[in-house]
């Protein structure tokens, strides 16, 4: 027993000396620092969570879970309420048993779970993870895209934390907010749909546009970017469609080509995951592009083309950093400035990026990401200077959300 | 009867004829939304009752190299797949791995078989009810369309029709010859 | 509408030609092939499952889930019942809410879930994942190591699929089966404990050995290997302890050194995860070793020493394959025989292995694994010839179980 | 009163004294098993009520390089840690990331501070209730012992005492000076 007592004694002791490091408090959890405009959420489908990062420091600030979907649905932040919402699906036995879907509510400052809203267990699960749910302006309502059996949306009242109703939107999918009680959708017949709800969240009106695109020959990707009451969508063939939801009826407000005829002949093409980003103050449109044939509309791009959206002119080309080499270097535990790191960068091909997002402020950052290994980097969006890698984000995931 | 209704009826009949042994319960319908007639797909199909002993369908005998190897992304049937190849997960290109359930609905691709130069219609049925397999991830997008055109969209989790919607891996079943090639060909 | 119909028509058609490939049946799931002695289960903590592989072909045969623990608890196979058991923990809200623990029962031939047994929600969760549950000989009883609040075990009757009772085993942990109704444990006072249950699974007797090891100065690792009613444990300092549970009272039957004095001076040391393997027919003991100081008892080993356990002599040294290079090559999509693959192998250090297991047959395979990236390889256990890599096992995990 | 009981009583008193502000509710006990008196640990401790605003404890000012950097495995307090470093996950070496809960029990290490050459007792409290952080995995095993010696075992999921036992990351808190160095030193 003596030997045992000695063993136990090793760990703990009195502290009489004056110079030693002070004991620490037990049981503390941090809150987030004051929000800046340079934060970004990055999903991680394998770890089934999303990380919040500060683009200025590259540091992880916090993590929220996102269970039960292919990609881990990305957080839906709401500034007015200081809340962040995550759509989650749980089964009673892990991957089996009874399915239940929830909106999990986080306090945006502490990232604590402060509530949940059970919703119909039909929330859409789609690999790209985009536009499957959205908080409408003002944060009173959250709209969820359902998938099974027919297309519909669930309207959730965030004030009363309850489901208001399910609206059938057959043939139309995805949610693009354009106001406090209005959102757009895209439809299988080449139209856009405007859904309006009343002050309580009930269906008020569904209004279709004229058909304006061809879902087979040149469909619009789901990866639109918002500009007020307009949404910009690129078609597979590289035509930017500006859809205006401000009126009674949605309409195609404008359509212009992202490529010149010469560029088309060289097979330049849009593609990726979040392949478009828009910075309203400077009217800069960022577009991930590559050279490839039809059917490559999800491939990573080895260039990011920057447009002046007003003049419809390309003003800059940004080359993505070698994210895969940086990712594998970190995984191998190799120091950034070593000879081995240099060699890896030289040998391992630069696979480009799938996603871009830009922060909305006057000193905007451009975040880029490769979806297959989840690696990410940061540019100064004004001049295209590479700023840093975001290290060890995870092992996959291509989604980014600026909160 | 609208043009769409007539078309779906004909399609159903033709599919039943061409697929022979399958107990075909294809449910096709249309719904009206915003005044526009839009087809409600995916296609729901009956499941064959038998659970065969292990039967790696294996490579296509007439094809050399990755185009004939169902564990490779380059396999000819995979031209519009998005996910983990069941052939690498204990299943095959036509059957789910042990203990997983094939979803009765799927998206559809059209792939050219380099062995006979013909275009085949392919069902990419997902296997469901167990966590991601994680092997042989493959994403090819010939003919893939956005999710508002759902039965042509490989991004959708097609486990919707299974008893658990947890995705495990994807198969690539031949339905029959396609009338036309992909728009991409 | 015409254009839409054309789009739909593209996919499906009649088939009149005679030469085309036959249509496939829908809805089929495979069963496993006939079991051989060369199968192995490998856990995957990130994907939270375990893969069953055939060492002869390198192919994955099937996968079972294993949710709710650090490592993904490894499957517990039972040949007599053709069943495989997995201890799982589920929470009502993913990583939050009410905890419930289950033994999930799989049919070993179809890998279908054919039942479940709810057990007290205290099953131990330990990073190494070893000896936390075991099926006793004959497959009537399964014993689970509990962790909280005090040490105990839960006895489960696999015939009636019910919990029989919880036996307090304070100070003793881990489960080492030695018979149909007998199992050993290791204790914090340097003793071994023999637990005997009666025909219904109730506690019959708990019997302690004399203290025979020093838990502080030279503890036994938990990673023992079985030989009938004896278990072999290596101590941190490299002494093999053979603990005999066959009598009324467990006792240290033998103790010999895995290292000569000269080897000790060169700092040779045992270490890893499943760092020992034993092949009873040939009395060969496989031990993962490295050169290092105290506190490196979990480090990977860059050599596998093979002993004749009867003669207590080292008879061979096996050098592990460069698993990390192979893993990164596969992740980078680089062909095995390429120049780049050769370069990667030359540049990326061989990090050794953490785990070894050997199949029990007359043409045994030796499986090796590195726990940090989950990569694995296969040797012929008779002569130490490297046979193959097991490719794309996952992204982590070091456990292996021969079913 | 057995020797062990007297020892645990003294330990409790001394811990309470040395840790000052902490509301210390250390529960120590012994249980009899198979005739042998064996200490039942871990130590359960009260949790400070306050939840500070973001306060990255940050590097040790007097230490250069990785030994002073809590986001590095080489940080001096990490000599017996096994897990993801909370400093890389939105927390610090002394506080959990936002939204996670520090477990009230932990394993204990003894690490030498290269700044003053003294040995400190360290509590490696886990942060719990959210899935694995996944960053800055670190495993060092000075003084680590097998799980039958539980409060010295870094392999155990030490979220046992928290409201959810899902592990997120690990901290490294100073208790006070250690009387003796690790057996390894």
């Amino acid at each position: 027993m003596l030997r045992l007592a000695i063993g136990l004694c090793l760990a703990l002791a009195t502290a009489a000396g004056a110079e030693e490091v002070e004991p620490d408090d037990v049981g503390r959890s941090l809150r987030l620092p004051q929000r800046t405009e340079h934060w970004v959420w990055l999903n991680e489908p394998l770890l089934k969570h999303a990380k919040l990062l500060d683009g200025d420091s590259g540091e992880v600030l916090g993590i929220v879970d996102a269970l039960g979907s292919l990609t881990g649905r990305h957080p839906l932040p709401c500034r007015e309420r200081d809340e962040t919402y995550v759509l989650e699906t749980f089964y009673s036995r892990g991957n089996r048993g009874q399915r239940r879907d929830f909106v999990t509510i986080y306090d945006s400052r502490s990232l604590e779970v402060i509530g949940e809203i059970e919703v119909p267990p039909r929330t859409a699960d789609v690999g790209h993870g985009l536009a499957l749910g959205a908080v409408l302006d003002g944060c009173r309502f959250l709209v969820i895209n359902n998938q099974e059996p027919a297309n519909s949306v669930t309207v959730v009242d965030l004030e009363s934390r309850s489901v208001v109703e399910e609206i059938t939107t057959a043939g139309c999918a995805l949610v693009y907010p354009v106001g406090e009680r209005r959102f757009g959708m895209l439809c299988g017949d080449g139209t856009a749909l405007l859904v309006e709800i009343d002050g309580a969240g009930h269906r008020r009106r569904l209004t279709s546009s004229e058909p304006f695109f061809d879902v087979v020959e040149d469909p619009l990707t789901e990866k639109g970017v918002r500009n007020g009451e307009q949404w910009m969508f690129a078609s597979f063939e590289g035509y930017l469609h500006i859809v205006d939801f401000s009126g009674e009826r949605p309409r195609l407000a404008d359509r212009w080509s992202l490529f010149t005829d010469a560029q088309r002949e060289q097979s330049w093409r849009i593609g990726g995951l979040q392949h478009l980003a828009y910075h309203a103050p400077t009217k800069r449109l960022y577009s991930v592009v590559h050279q490839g044939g039809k059917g490559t509309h999800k491939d990573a791009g080895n260039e990011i083309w920057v447009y002046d959206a007003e003049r419809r002119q390309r003003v800059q080309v940004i080359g993505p950093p070698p994210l895969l080499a940086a990712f594998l270097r970190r995984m191998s535990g190799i120091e950034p400035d070593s000879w081995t790191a240099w060699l890896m960068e030289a040998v391992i091909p630069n696979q480009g990026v799938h996603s871009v997002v830009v922060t909305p402020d006057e000193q905007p950052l451009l975040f880029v990401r490769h979806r297959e290994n989840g690696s990410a980097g940061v540019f100064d969006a004004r001049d295209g200077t590479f700023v840093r890698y975001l290290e060890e984000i995870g092992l996959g995931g291509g989604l980014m959300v600026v909160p | 009867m609208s043009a769409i209704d007539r078309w779906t009826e004909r399609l159903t009949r033709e599919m039943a004829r061409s697929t022979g042994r399958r107990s075909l319960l294809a449910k096709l319908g249309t719904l009206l939304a915003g005044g526009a007639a839009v087809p409600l797909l995916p296609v729901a199909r009956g499941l064959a009752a038998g659970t065969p002993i292990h039967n790696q369908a294996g490579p296509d005998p007439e094809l050399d190299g990755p185009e004939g190897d169902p564990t490779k992304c380059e396999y000819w049937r995979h031209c519009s797949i998005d996910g983990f190849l069941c052939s690498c997960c204990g299943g095959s290109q036509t059957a789910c791995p042990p203990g997983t359930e094939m979803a009765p609905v799927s998206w559809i691709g059209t792939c050219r078989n380099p062995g006979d130069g013909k275009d085949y219609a392919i069902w990419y049925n997902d296997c469901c009810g167990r966590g991601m397999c994680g092997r042989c991830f493959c994403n090819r997008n010939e003919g893939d369309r956005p999710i508002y055109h759902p039965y042509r969209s490989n991004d959708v989790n097609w486990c919707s029709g299974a008893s658990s919607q947890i995705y495990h891996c994807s198969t690539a079943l031949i339905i029959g010859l396609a009338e036309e090639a992909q728009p991409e060909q």
Side-chain angles (χ1 to χ4, degrees), chain A, chain B:
Chain A
M1 294 316 302
L2 181 64
R3 192 182 285 155
L4 181 64
I6 291 169
L8 294 167
C9 279
L10 287 174
L12 306 162
T14 62
E19 294 167 11
E20 76 271 11
V21 181
E22 281 289 297
D24 296 309
D25 284 339
V26 184
R28 297 190 310 143
S29 299
L30 298 186
R31 291 168 72 88
L32 292 176
Q34 189 65 38
R35 184 171 57 73
T36 76
E37 299 294 328
H38 286 175
W39 289 7
V40 64
W41 284 105
L42 307 180
N43 74 323
E44 216 299 355
L46 288 169
L47 296 172
K48 297 186 185 301
H49 66 212
K51 294 188 177 77
L52 179 63
L53 283 98
D54 181 341
D56 288 325
S57 66
E59 277 183 24
V60 167
L61 301 169
I63 295 176
V64 299
D65 284 330
L67 276 76
S69 75
L70 290 172
T71 50
R73 300 189 186 91
H74 64 71
L76 300 166
C78 153
R79 292 194 178 190
E80 284 89 338
R81 275 185 204 281
D82 267 331
E83 291 178 347
T84 300
Y85 310 98
V86 182
L87 306 180
E88 291 190 288
T89 296
F90 305 124
Y91 285 84
S92 58
R93 298 290 184 275
N95 293 329
R96 302 171 283 115
Q98 193 205 344
R99 172 178 171 169
R100 294 175 71 183
D101 288 11
F102 291 88
V103 177
T104 305
I105 308 172
Y106 290 89
D107 182 318
S108 294
R109 295 155 302 191
S110 67
L111 298 188
E112 279 169 19
V113 175
I114 55 171
E116 64 180 23
I117 305 164
E118 185 155 13
V119 297
R122 309 183 252 288
T123 59
D125 187 17
V126 175
H128 61 60
L130 288 166
L132 303 175
V135 179
L136 302 191
D137 298 355
C139 303
R140 169 74 190 273
F141 297 108
L142 183 148
V143 179
I144 303 168
N145 190 171
N146 297 321
Q147 165 180 306
E148 168 72 359
N151 285 120
S152 68
V153 296
T154 298
V155 179
V156 176
D157 184 338
L158 295 173
E159 203 163 284
S160 65
R161 293 189 178 172
S162 59
V163 170
V164 180
E165 80 171 323
E166 224 173 323
I167 301 173
T168 298
T169 61
C172 303
L174 307 150
V175 183
Y176 302 104
V178 288
E180 292 189 4
R181 299 199 290 270
R182 300 157 65 89
F183 57 93
M185 304 183 79
L186 292 177
C187 309
D189 60 355
T191 65
L193 179 72
L194 172 65
V195 181
E196 296 171 274
I197 55 177
D198 65 20
H202 292 286
R203 170 192 164 133
R204 185 163 162 263
R205 189 163 53 194
L206 275 63
T207 315
S208 286
S209 72
E210 293 288 333
F212 66 92
F213 67 100
D214 186 318
V215 298
V216 174
E217 293 302 324
D218 191 21
L220 306 188
T221 83
E222 304 99 320
K223 294 99 179 184
V225 289
R226 184 178 177 183
N227 183 24
E229 292 180 81
Q230 299 186 331
W231 279 79
M232 294 179 237
F233 300 94
S235 69
F236 283 22
E237 297 298 328
Y239 295 93
L240 192 75
H241 291 66
I242 293 143
V243 184
D244 188 342
F245 292 95
S246 66
E248 292 248 321
R249 188 176 184 189
R251 66 188 184 88
L252 180 68
D254 208 346
R255 181 177 186 275
W256 55 276
S257 177
L258 293 167
F259 302 107
T260 64
D261 291 345
Q263 288 161 352
R264 277 178 207 287
E265 266 171 40
Q266 295 168 322
S267 301
W268 284 104
R269 184 173 283 280
I270 60 113
L273 178 57
Q274 285 171 288
H275 60 83
L276 285 184
Y278 184 67
H279 187 250
T282 56
K283 298 191 167 52
R284 286 288 185 276
L285 180 75
Y286 302 82
S287 170
V288 177
V289 297
H290 68 281
Q291 287 171 290
K294 285 171 185 277
T296 64
H297 52 280
K298 292 180 196 164
D299 288 12
N302 52 340
E303 294 192 359
I304 300 160
W305 287 10
V306 189
Y307 296 86
D308 181 325
E310 201 162 52
R311 292 191 298 134
R312 304 180 179 189
Q313 278 191 353
R314 193 181 77 180
V315 293
Q316 196 184 359
V317 172
I318 301 176
L323 291 177
L324 178 60
F327 171 79
L328 293 174
R329 167 180 57 69
R330 176 90 187 200
M331 277 202 77
S332 321
I334 292 165
E335 289 298 316
D337 302 321
S338 66
W339 177 84
T340 316
W342 174 87
L343 187 68
M344 288 179 81
E345 211 166 286
V347 167
I348 296 166
N350 186 334
Q351 303 193 323
V353 298
H354 290 92
S355 297
V356 286
V357 294
V358 63
T359 64
D361 56 315
E362 302 292 327
Q363 288 86 37
L365 296 182
L366 182 75
F367 294 100
V368 302
R369 200 167 186 209
H370 192 281
R371 74 179 295 183
E372 276 165 35
N373 54 52
S375 54
V378 188
F379 287 89
D380 185 320
R382 291 168 298 184
D383 58 10
T385 313
F386 182 67
V387 178
R388 66 169 50 80
Y389 295 105
L390 300 178
E391 301 255 18
E392 218 180 351
I393 298 313
L395 299 156
L399 294 176
M400 301 188 281
V401 174
V402 174
Chain B
M1 191 184 253
S2 75
I4 287 288
D5 288 338
R6 279 195 301 277
W7 180 84
T8 55
E9 196 199 51
R10 181 170 59 89
L11 181 65
T12 309
R13 261 189 282 111
E14 289 175 354
M15 279 166 61
R17 202 186 314 145
S18 71
T19 54
R21 289 163 295 170
R22 267 192 301 279
S23 154
L24 187 72
L25 304 167
K27 281 190 307 193
L28 297 167
T30 61
L31 285 178
L32 287 178
V38 177
L40 171 68
L41 288 162
V43 186
R45 283 155 287 164
L47 300 178
T51 295
I53 317 182
H54 204 261
N55 162 19
Q56 294 280 5
D60 286 18
E62 74 277 15
L63 290 174
D64 286 331
E67 285 203 323
D69 181 353
T71 67
K72 294 282 183 290
C73 197
E74 296 86 349
Y75 182 53
W76 72 272
R77 297 187 188 191
H78 293 160
C79 75
S80 189
I81 208 165
D82 184 6
F84 305 107
L85 305 180
C86 289
S87 296
C88 299
C89 308
S92 73
Q93 70 267 50
T94 61
C96 286
T100 64
E101 175 193 1
M102 190 178 283
V105 291
S106 77
W107 80 104
I108 300 166
T110 306
C111 302
R112 180 159 295 168
N113 180 351
D116 60 12
K118 294 177 179 169
D119 291 306
Y120 287 85
I122 309 285
W123 270 332
Y124 296 105
N125 292 68
D126 286 343
C127 299
C128 312
R130 207 152 285 180
M132 287 191 288
C133 156
R135 297 190 93 219
C136 300
F137 177 74
C138 175
N139 180 210
R140 291 169 60 191
N141 298 301
E142 292 175 29
D144 166 73
R145 292 292 173 269
I147 69 162
Y148 51 76
H149 196 40
Y151 81 108
R152 277 297 212 169
S153 176
N154 67 18
D155 258 333
V156 172
N157 176 351
W158 280 105
C159 285
S160 315
S163 37
S164 155
Q165 284 89 61
I166 298 289
Y167 169 79
H168 187 66
C169 64
S170 298
T171 62
L173 308 179
I174 290 179
I175 312 171
L177 284 179
E179 265 175 3
E180 301 184 30
Q182 299 276 28
E184 279 79 359
Q185 293 282 348

